[in-house]
Amino acid sequence: MEYKRITNIEDSNFKKLHDLMGKIFPPEEVLDYGLWKEPLEDPSIRVFVAIDDDQVVGATEYRYYPDWNIAMTDFTIISKPGLSLGRFLAQNRLKDLQMLAKENEKELFGMFAEIYDPYRVEHHEFGGVKVMDPYVRREVLSHLGYNRLDLAYVHPSWENNGEAVSGLDLCFMPTSDEVHSLPASLVKDFLTAYYSVLSNKPQEWLTMIDKIGNKETIELLPL
């Protein structure tokens, strides 16, 4: 299996990836095809696909923020069982991030991720792919070491229509077991930067950001 980066919208593997995203994720989570041009060419955004027999069978998008020495996993797709895709993607992603942190003369502090809470929202079937079931994905993140941030979380819809997307948790995987909370300023600055590409922010998100700004720290809770 090959772990290959996509940096151009004209890459034939990107069409396969975008088709796969459309089958797996709900519409509000998928950026329109043409809007991917700039993100793919952005050196800070890393989109990798797992290629098996010339087919895109898995993918992950993430980014590293050198100023904060943290990463964010945008998404992970596993399209079929029996290929150890989850392990393949997670290991290659971590190796890549550790390399980026080393180039930054640091050891990676940790990584953010958003995850649906199936105990609150049960209608996301992720294209009927059982390995993408929200219950399974939540437990996988827990096994990897993610914790959920102690806050009522929403994010702006990627359709940029001003709607708030709820039913998720914002999670963080510290590389040290001694980290049990995060500076609220880090969380606020990260979310503000991460969603700066979306111009139409819902009021629920703006209110959440203000509440985070009024805190000193945010606890990390079991996932």
Side-chain angles (χ1 to χ4, degrees):
M1 198 177 305
E2 185 180 2
Y3 189 68
K4 183 178 179 181
R5 188 177 182 188
I6 297 178
T7 59
N8 192 304
I9 200 170
E10 302 300 329
D11 189 323
S12 60
N13 285 316
F14 178 67
K15 175 65 166 59
K16 298 175 185 176
L17 170 59
H18 199 264
D19 288 346
L20 187 59
M21 286 190 288
K23 295 176 182 177
I24 296 292
F25 295 126
E28 67 271 16
E29 297 293 326
V30 181
L31 200 62
D32 287 343
Y33 192 97
L35 297 180
W36 276 93
K37 185 178 186 302
E38 290 187 10
L40 288 176
E41 295 174 357
D42 185 337
S44 70
I45 298 176
R46 307 178 76 78
V47 178
F48 283 83
V49 291
I51 300 176
D52 184 51
D53 195 23
D54 199 37
Q55 296 298 313
V56 172
V57 293
T60 182
E61 177 187 318
Y62 51 98
R63 59 194 81 191
Y64 175 69
Y65 296 84
D67 290 346
W68 300 315
N69 189 35
I70 57 98
M72 170 66 173
T73 301
D74 297 327
F75 65 78
T76 300
I77 295 176
I78 299 170
S79 70
K80 59 177 65 175
L83 295 176
S84 293
L85 276 168
R87 179 176 175 81
F88 177 81
L89 293 171
Q91 285 193 321
N92 280 282
R93 179 176 61 211
L94 184 58
K95 287 178 183 177
D96 188 45
L97 287 169
Q98 287 173 334
M99 178 195 71
L100 294 174
K102 186 176 181 180
E103 291 175 354
N104 196 29
E105 299 183 343
K106 296 177 181 178
E107 292 187 9
L108 183 68
F109 178 62
M111 183 164 21
F112 284 103
E114 295 172 336
I115 183 68
Y116 279 104
D117 182 356
Y119 300 99
R120 286 184 286 154
V121 180
E122 298 186 7
H123 65 277
H124 293 300
E125 297 182 357
F126 293 92
V129 179
K130 290 300 183 182
V131 289
M132 290 290 291
D133 184 286
Y135 292 96
V136 175
R137 296 174 71 224
R138 196 171 179 88
E139 287 305 310
V140 167
L141 285 190
S142 177
H143 277 69
L144 288 173
Y146 278 92
N147 297 275
R148 61 185 176 89
L149 275 69
D150 186 16
L151 58 86
Y153 186 67
V154 297
H155 78 68
S157 168
W158 284 103
E159 293 179 299
N160 202 26
N161 55 12
E163 297 294 325
V165 179
S166 60
L168 303 99
D169 287 311
L170 179 63
C171 301
F172 188 76
M173 179 186 69
T175 53
S176 170
D177 291 336
E178 302 303 313
V179 175
H180 303 294
S181 65
L182 296 178
S185 59
L186 170 62
V187 178
K188 178 181 178 180
D189 291 346
F190 161 70
L191 289 174
T192 301
Y194 185 71
Y195 284 107
S196 62
V197 68
L198 297 176
S199 59
N200 199 4
K201 305 290 198 310
Q203 184 57 50
E204 295 95 325
W205 185 85
L206 296 172
T207 300
M208 179 191 73
I209 292 295
D210 286 342
K211 288 181 178 178
I212 293 173
N214 291 328
K215 297 176 179 288
E216 290 292 330
T217 61
I218 297 180
E219 295 298 311
L220 297 176
L221 305 175
L223 183 57

